[in-house]
Amino acid sequence: MADSTPTEIEDSADLGIAAGGRRPTGTQVSKWFVVGAIATSTLLIFLTMSGLYGQLLGQVPADGQSIWRVPDLFVANTPTGGDMGAHVLLPKILLEDLLPSGRLHGWSMDWFAGFPAMYFYFPLPALATVVLDLVLPYGVAFKLATIAGLVVLPTVAYFFVKYLGFTKFVAAIAGVAGSLFVFMESYSIFGANIKSTLTGEFSYGWSFALSILYVGMVVRNYRQDKSFDPWAGIVLGLTAMAHVVTTIVVVIATLPLVLSPILALVRRTGDIARSMRHSTGVLWTYAIGFGLSAFWSVALGINVLQGMTADMGWEQVTALVGNNEGLGSPVPWEFVPVLFLGLIGMAWTLRRRDNVGVAIWMTVFPLGGYFLIARLDLTVIYNARLLPYWFFGMYVFAGITTGLMANAVGRRVSRMVRMSLVGVVAIVAMIAGVVLSIDDIPGWVNWDYGGYEGKQVWSEYENLMQTVDELPDGRIMWETNEDMSRYGTDLALMLFPFWSEGHPSMGGLFYESSLTTPFHFLNTSEVSAEPTISTKGLTYLNYRSMDFERAVVHLAVYDVAYYVSFTEEGTSAALDHGLDVLVEPAPWTVFALPDADMVDVAKFEPVVWAGEEDFSDAALEWYDDIDNLDVWLVQDGPEEWRRVTSVGERLEVLRPYPITGTATLSEFTDQTVSFTTDALGVPHLVKVSYFPNWTVDGADGVYRAAPSLMIVVPDDEYVTLKFEYRWIEILGFAITAMTLVGLATYGFVETRRRREESYRDSISPIPADTP
């Protein structure tokens, strides 16, 4: 007997989306077959991510440790590798700075001369790390949070296929197949697979798994004629709190269901009233999902619209076939057999009139988006982020093909052959194929989860951090170089603030979060022999590798106290410029930069930008003119300040201030900057990255100034800037609070209704003709 409910055989309003109407054929299988299938795939992923798989293969770690040791996942160290080696800072900021001050998002001085923490990056995995840290060492809590999206994917994939209306037998096989796509080794940054997770895309992995579950729940509700499902909305809200791109994908994937009444009206077929209920049900999930995530997403959206992010100028992937020299493509060589089976599965299920319309749409349109984004050169989004849905969908349909074939074989071979046995053979064959193809994933796991402390050169890295910790507080600029990967990642020095309080790093990870990012990369090019430039579109400026004449001027703008060289070229260039050596924790050299102030008093009246180009572009041009950085350019200001339409125009009429003075910093924390001054009425440049949440007492302002800082005009000798919530944060929290109250009220009313129905049923009189 097929494993399906009566609702599984209902028609679906003739949409071509969830068309169907026939009960999937199959044979009843034991629930232990399903549990075993999903557990096997889950265990394989967990063993791989724990490091045990590599140990079982007898792989000797590069650091010479015994293969018989505590799995890396459970070692209380600091994980590293790619971007993950810097991601470890964010939950710590949340744990030690934001939450104690009663905030879920706020400001941190740790990177980029200050950046808005938890505003432009996703809160759910960081919150999970904080919760796990209550009972586990921080490093272990962080690592467990990173693998969560991968480990739950087999279960999610199973329910996704089952919610499409397939039997448990087919869903178990297809669920295993869908989850095995995480072992793809042809790409390492797109998201959702193991390699992407190990390079730092674990938030995407969380959101990807949740998004797949959400789509499955929406299709199930559609098939079962369920017009309201708060749980689907809750899952969508969690999806949004883990990644934005995945949320956009699944909203587009479910739009055909929202538009179903229009389609039914145009075609004049189907039950329009029923389609309206289904459409309304999906819209309710959108509303609930938005409401739950509003505490974070409202501020995110409005700040993005207000231009408070840096444009990374993503370089799109344009390949069609092959591994593309490690950059990936929609059809890498390892994917070809899966693609063949997946296409068969799509055709087969459409012929059977199964409920696969949304699943096919979710698989295919991201592929179209991949090509469209590249064609339109939309640099604000990385087109390859869409491909995991294409890969996952094809793996699922390949699994459906396998499941349907196993079902057919099991029914025809012999009555003595149990369906479960045929299914086991199919699953073992799929897993064996993946296991035999695994190449470098175990090594990546060992490298990342072996931690900074597990590297052979850990003592050098530790010595640098301890040495810097003994220096007076101050911002640090350091030379970038890929050879630093031997310490765990070439981003290792981003963790100065992780190891040493009071020593922020100018280099940070969340590039799009700070307006300072492009200027930092320009500074990087001036102090590094082999600079790493992650922001595109800066090539028209004067890149000068190892140009300390410019670097010292630029770093003073950000009140950077120290420079750390790594190469001989970097050390020689700093010495040639006359920088003083403070300490030499080999292979690094720590230099003192010329004294600068956190708050500068203006020499000339600032000039307001009124040109047609964006202020960020004007600020880059201003920053390039190092001889005139004392003529400040601002985005807005008092009416009496002169307006200019070109950066050079600001020098035509200079208005020097007749009085001068000094400003002395008195307090400097993540949320507060205070100083005293005797130059009242004269603009002051505060060397903290601008963000509209900064307010000031004792001065007028706050004005955004080039390159990415703040100007205030004191009217009191004591001035205090504070990072405070604006109306957008209050609005977001209010929407989330109302959503939670609404869900709680619905849950209470629904529970009470069910109890009353149950009570009425229990006291109903027994019919007279009952024997």
Side-chain angles (χ1 to χ4, degrees), residues 140-479:
V140 176
F142 181 88
K143 286 184 279 190
L144 288 175
T146 63
I147 72 170
L150 298 172
V151 172
V152 302
L153 192 58
T155 302
V156 166
Y158 163 74
F159 280 106
F160 172 73
V161 179
K162 187 172 185 299
Y163 289 162
L164 296 180
F166 291 93
T167 64
K168 290 180 181 178
F169 178 76
V170 173
I173 295 175
V176 170
S179 67
L180 293 179
F181 106 97
V182 302
F183 291 95
M184 289 183 68
E185 294 193 337
S186 54
Y187 73 91
S188 60
I189 192 173
F190 302 170
N193 67 338
I194 290 175
K195 278 192 168 183
S196 295
T197 297
L198 293 172
T199 56
E201 289 293 332
F202 53 88
S203 286
Y204 188 105
W206 273 68
S207 192
F208 183 83
L210 288 164
S211 70
I212 297 299
L213 179 60
Y214 166 74
V215 173
M217 295 173 76
V218 168
V219 173
R220 177 199 60 184
N221 295 338
Y222 192 84
R223 290 174 39 248
Q224 297 181 352
D225 202 17
K226 192 174 183 180
S227 60
F228 182 72
D229 181 12
W231 287 108
I234 292 171
V235 171
L236 181 60
L238 296 174
T239 300
M241 284 187 276
H243 210 282
V244 171
V245 172
T246 51
T247 307
I248 295 172
V249 169
V250 295
V251 167
I252 295 175
T254 52
L255 272 181
L257 301 180
V258 175
L259 300 176
S260 60
I262 299 176
L263 296 176
L265 185 62
V266 170
R267 295 180 180 181
R268 298 184 179 182
T269 58
D271 188 340
I272 296 178
R274 184 168 180 257
S275 296
M276 283 294 297
R277 290 198 305 272
H278 295 154
S279 177
T280 303
V282 179
L283 289 174
W284 268 114
T285 67
Y286 292 174
I288 294 171
F290 168 73
L292 288 178
S293 64
F295 74 93
W296 171 76
S297 61
V298 169
L300 167 71
I302 293 178
N303 280 309
V304 168
L305 292 175
Q306 291 180 342
M308 291 298 105
T309 61
D311 184 359
M312 295 304 298
W314 289 105
E315 186 174 345
Q316 308 298 352
V317 180
T318 58
L320 175 61
V321 178
N323 294 347
N324 192 21
E325 298 181 352
L327 297 178
S329 75
V331 188
W333 303 128
E334 64 177 333
F335 183 62
V336 172
V338 175
L339 178 60
F340 176 73
L341 287 175
L343 292 174
I344 292 175
M346 282 188 176
W348 195 346
T349 53
L350 286 174
R351 181 177 177 81
R352 285 164 42 94
R353 291 176 54 81
D354 291 313
N355 296 277
V356 294
V358 169
I360 291 176
W361 173 239
M362 186 185 73
T363 301
V364 173
F365 93 78
L367 180 63
Y370 164 85
F371 291 110
L372 181 62
I373 291 171
R375 176 78 174 177
L376 298 177
D377 197 24
L378 300 176
T379 60
V380 296
I381 186 173
Y382 185 41
N383 67 332
R385 288 274 189 266
L386 302 178
L387 289 182
Y389 287 90
W390 159 251
F391 295 138
F392 173 80
M394 281 302 176
Y395 268 82
V396 165
F397 277 104
I400 291 174
T401 300
T402 305
L404 293 176
M405 291 175 63
N407 180 69
V409 170
R411 293 171 59 198
R412 287 172 171 78
V413 172
S414 169
R415 291 186 179 181
M416 299 298 294
V417 178
R418 294 181 60 84
M419 185 64 64
S420 296
L421 179 59
V422 178
V424 168
V425 172
I427 290 172
V428 169
M430 290 189 299
I431 291 179
V434 168
V435 169
L436 292 174
S437 67
I438 294 176
D439 184 16
D440 50 9
I441 285 177
W444 283 44
V445 171
N446 173 254
W447 182 262
D448 279 34
Y449 294 156
Y452 286 96
E453 296 88 341
K455 305 298 176 282
Q456 290 182 334
V457 288
W458 160 248
S459 60
E460 294 179 2
Y461 181 76
E462 182 183 33
N463 184 37
L464 172 65
M465 295 301 164
Q466 291 176 347
T467 301
V468 167
D469 191 46
E470 296 174 0
L471 297 175
D473 290 355
R475 290 173 177 159
I476 302 174
M477 185 70 196
W478 42 276
E479 181 185 5

Side-chain angles (χ1 to χ4, degrees), residues 40-87:
T40 300
S41 182
T42 303
L43 184 62
L44 176 61
I45 294 173
F46 182 80
L47 288 176
T48 302
M49 298 305 293
S50 70
L52 275 170
Y53 180 78
Q55 291 177 228
L56 293 173
L57 292 179
Q59 294 184 355
V60 179
D63 55 17
Q65 299 177 35
S66 169
I67 62 173
W68 305 112
R69 65 191 191 282
V70 176
D72 295 322
L73 187 68
F74 303 107
V75 176
N77 57 22
T78 309
T80 184
D83 288 354
M84 188 181 291
H87 271 291

Side-chain angles (χ1 to χ4, degrees), residues 515-516 519 557-558 606-607 609 615-624 628-636 647 650 685-688 690 703-711:
L515 297 175
T516 296
F519 305 99
V557 172
Y558 286 101
V607 178
W609 177 248
F615 180 75
S616 297
D617 295 329
L620 284 166
E621 187 177 347
W622 173 91
Y623 199 60
D624 195 40
N628 297 290
L629 296 183
D630 54 356
V631 184
W632 298 340
L633 184 69
V634 296
Q635 187 178 35
D636 193 14
V647 175
R650 81 191 194 284
L685 181 71
V686 181
K687 297 177 180 179
V688 173
Y690 174 82
Y703 304 114
R704 177 182 174 183
S708 57
L709 305 175
M710 300 184 286
I711 283 180

Side-chain angles (χ1 to χ4, degrees), residues 527-666:
V527 301
S528 304
E530 299 177 11
T532 301
I533 308 298
S534 297
T535 301
K536 306 298 186 294
L538 302 180
T539 53
Y540 72 94
L541 293 177
N542 292 322
Y543 275 120
R544 290 183 173 89
S545 180
M546 308 305 297
D547 187 343
F548 273 84
E549 291 292 335
R550 295 172 62 83
V552 168
V553 176
H554 281 156
L555 294 177
V557 172
Y558 286 101
D559 188 30
V560 181
Y562 306 106
Y563 166 66
V564 178
S565 66
F566 179 67
T567 66
E568 292 183 5
E569 294 91 334
T571 302
S572 296
L575 288 172
D576 291 344
H577 186 72
L579 298 185
D580 295 329
V581 175
L582 295 177
V583 286
E584 298 182 82
W588 291 279
T589 303
V590 182
F591 293 88
L593 288 166
D595 289 340
D597 296 313
M598 181 60 69
V599 182
D600 283 346
V601 180
K603 297 179 182 178
F604 305 96
E605 182 181 270
V607 178
V608 179
W609 177 248
E612 293 182 359
E613 63 179 329
D614 187 78
F615 180 75
S616 297
D617 295 329
L620 284 166
E621 187 177 347
W622 173 91
Y623 199 60
D624 195 40
D625 183 11
I626 63 169
D627 294 327
N628 297 290
L629 296 183
D630 54 356
V631 184
W632 298 340
L633 184 69
V634 296
Q635 187 178 35
D636 193 14
E639 292 183 2
E640 60 268 22
W641 290 1
R642 190 163 57 96
R643 268 61 180 170
V644 297
T645 56
S646 70
V647 175
E649 185 184 347
R650 81 191 194 284
L651 304 177
E652 294 178 1
V653 180
L654 297 180
R655 300 177 180 176
Y657 280 95
I659 61 172
T660 59
T662 59
T664 303
L665 190 69
S666 57

